Amino acid sequence: TGESIPVDKGPGDTVISASINQSGALTLRATRVGQDTTLAQMIRLVDEAASSKAPIAKLADKVAGVFVPVVMVIALVTAVIWMIATGSVERALTSGVAVLVISCPCALGLATPVAIMVGTGKGAEHGILVKSAEGLEHLRSVTTVVLDKTGTVTQGKPKVTDVYPLGRATAEELLCVAASLEKPSEHPLGAAVVEEAGNRNIPLAPVTGFEAVHGKGVRGTIQGAAYLAGNAAMLRDAGVALGQDAMIADELAKQGKTPLFFVEDGRPMGIIAVADTVKETSRAAIEGFQRLGLKVVMLTGDNKRTAEAIGKELGLTQVVSEVLPADKERQIAALQEQGEKVAMVGDGINDAPALARADVGLAIGAGTDVAIESADIVLMKSDLADAVTAVELSRATIRNVKQNLFWAFFYNAVCIPVAAGVLAIWGGPQLSPMIAGAAMSFSSVCVVSNALRLRFFKSRFRASRREENPVMTQPEAVQDSNDDNRTTKQGGTTAMTKTMKIEGMMCAHCTGRVEKALSAIDGVTAVEMSLEGKSATLTLSENVDDQVLTDAVTEAGYEVVSVR
């Protein structure tokens, strides 16, 4: 249904078919089966929406259907006039055949399919799979782009966004405890914490007495200390008060994030915020749509607070939240009734009816099969920026088709009178069928050549993004003969690097204490700890005496083996 994080369900709640149970066991009663299920209703919505699409007008085919009979009449009239005027059967037939040959509608027939073929091929190069020429043509005329949130604008899975250690804890200690507790739970929010710890190379500690409390959190013991991890209800049950720190959690919740609380021996240890984060290219893509003159709407089944927080982050003025699959389809239909040409971008089962109802449906390549099947265009790289490129490509392709049709008509408007003998009336040459055939072939070559210009298509949106984000040059590094003592020049200042070998560090708590002790020394600008290598790499703004560094680590309770 579009939520970015798992939704708690209790006795008596409705569970939609295809929902995934994350933990515990459920006893369910089927209240709707067969054609009455939610999934069956969604399939019916997709079928109805797809069948209601108006067939695209084939302009070239319609023109050719009128053009051919008209040309045959012109050829016949030309032959009759020359027969009456000259009495020569040869002259009459030559003029009539020349009109038929020079006006052969090859150029008209090639104008659309060649341009569409080149355009769809260029789309494939950009990771844009065009399933129908109708979709490509309709895309150029859209006025509103409707975006799904979860999995389209956002990553579609929870990520750690904020780490707030409380009391004496460090961020590394908090993540070590949090990931160690959450590892056995296999909950999606816990998995995000474990992933973040892995990204920071923070090792996990063994947990004993692990217990999962349904709908609230987990508890366990690490190195003799009792820990809790969970939501606010978990803290209330344990009698833990956050005090002023509760304001941090409230602010995170206002931003659409889910705060997770961690407690050590009854004392708050920290807060970690988890949220479905926005994809790196989403904001730029929305700006790209707006530069193309399109109105952008975000439509999601997620809760209002989360949706509005994401909309604010992306600079969107129109956000519609908490909509069911059928409601998404109705929202698209309502926009169409207002005269809007709508393109829908989505990835989930719940987006399928809206994708089918929209004038053009664009599916994220990493989305569900039913979404891809319902869409007209598939973004194989799952990058929203490709949707902007698709609009640009559609406009370029249809502009090319119109150019081809114009030159095909212009050619016939000029050449048919010449073939009919207009020049011969004033003493000019009579066009022979052979020359008429060559002229007809040349018109087809011109149309095909113009269509092939699409091979040089480049997205202006992609080009502008490259200009806004130029490649940053790496700072100059100067390495001394000693591999472990290095100086680096950055912005005219010189920084020294030292490496300390330290014994006695057993876990992330240890590395956190050493890092804190070293960071407090004047001249130390950065400390990078390695538990596996039993080392600390220091970046210094000035030369700090080795003994000062050694004393700081010794006072923290650890042994320095060497400083280099």
Side-chain angles (χ1 to χ4, degrees), residues 5-34:
I5 61 174
V7 177
D8 290 334
K9 295 289 183 179
D13 288 343
T14 299
V15 181
I16 295 176
S17 55
S19 295
I20 298 174
N21 179 29
Q22 295 287 351
S23 62
L26 302 179
T27 301
L28 306 174
R29 180 175 70 253
T31 57
R32 289 180 291 173
V33 296

Side-chain angles (χ1 to χ4, degrees), residues 267-284:
R267 297 186 305 274
M269 183 182 182
I271 302 172
I272 295 179
V274 178
D276 183 15
T277 56
V278 173
K279 291 180 180 178
E280 293 180 358
T281 58
S282 292
R283 185 177 182 86

Side-chain angles (χ1 to χ4, degrees), residues 355-380:
L355 287 168
R357 172 64 65 185
D359 295 281
V360 184
L362 297 95
I364 297 296
T368 59
D369 290 344
V370 68
I372 293 173
E373 186 64 28
S374 304
D376 303 294
I377 296 173
V378 181
L379 309 177
M380 300 304 295

Side-chain angles (χ1 to χ4, degrees), residues 189-214:
L189 300 185
V193 175
V194 175
E195 182 182 359
E196 180 66 16
N199 292 339
R200 300 194 187 191
N201 296 318
I202 297 175
L204 306 186
V207 178
T208 58
F210 175 82
E211 179 187 357
V213 182
H214 177 68

Side-chain angles (χ1 to χ4, degrees), residues 46-64:
V46 171
D47 289 340
E48 291 173 358
S51 63
S52 67
K53 280 189 175 180
I56 189 171
K58 301 290 186 180
L59 179 60
D61 292 345
K62 286 185 175 182
V63 170

Side-chain angles (χ1 to χ4, degrees), residues 140-191:
R140 65 169 286 275
S141 60
V142 299
T143 57
T144 299
V145 177
V146 177
L147 304 175
D148 170 52
K149 182 184 75 67
T150 309
T152 301
V153 172
T154 64
Q155 299 287 352
K157 65 176 184 177
K159 293 276 188 181
V160 171
T161 58
D162 303 271
V163 178
Y164 288 95
L166 304 176
R168 293 176 297 175
T170 65
E172 289 73 17
E173 288 175 337
L174 175 58
L175 276 171
C176 175
V177 169
S180 300
L181 282 173
E182 297 288 1
K183 178 69 173 178
S185 72
E186 298 184 355
H187 192 279
L189 300 185

Side-chain angles (χ1 to χ4, degrees), residues 272-326:
I272 295 179
V274 178
D276 183 15
T277 56
V278 173
K279 291 180 180 178
E280 293 180 358
T281 58
S282 292
R283 185 177 182 86
I286 290 170
E287 291 174 354
F289 283 129
Q290 293 169 342
R291 284 203 297 269
L292 292 174
L294 304 178
K295 183 168 68 175
V296 183
V297 179
M298 190 171 76
L299 191 63
T300 177
D302 209 345
N303 65 78
K304 183 177 181 180
R305 184 169 61 183
T306 301
E308 289 182 347
I310 295 294
K312 183 178 180 181
E313 182 179 350
L314 295 173
L316 292 172
T317 57
Q318 190 168 354
V319 176
V320 184
S321 58
E322 298 179 356
V323 289
L324 295 175

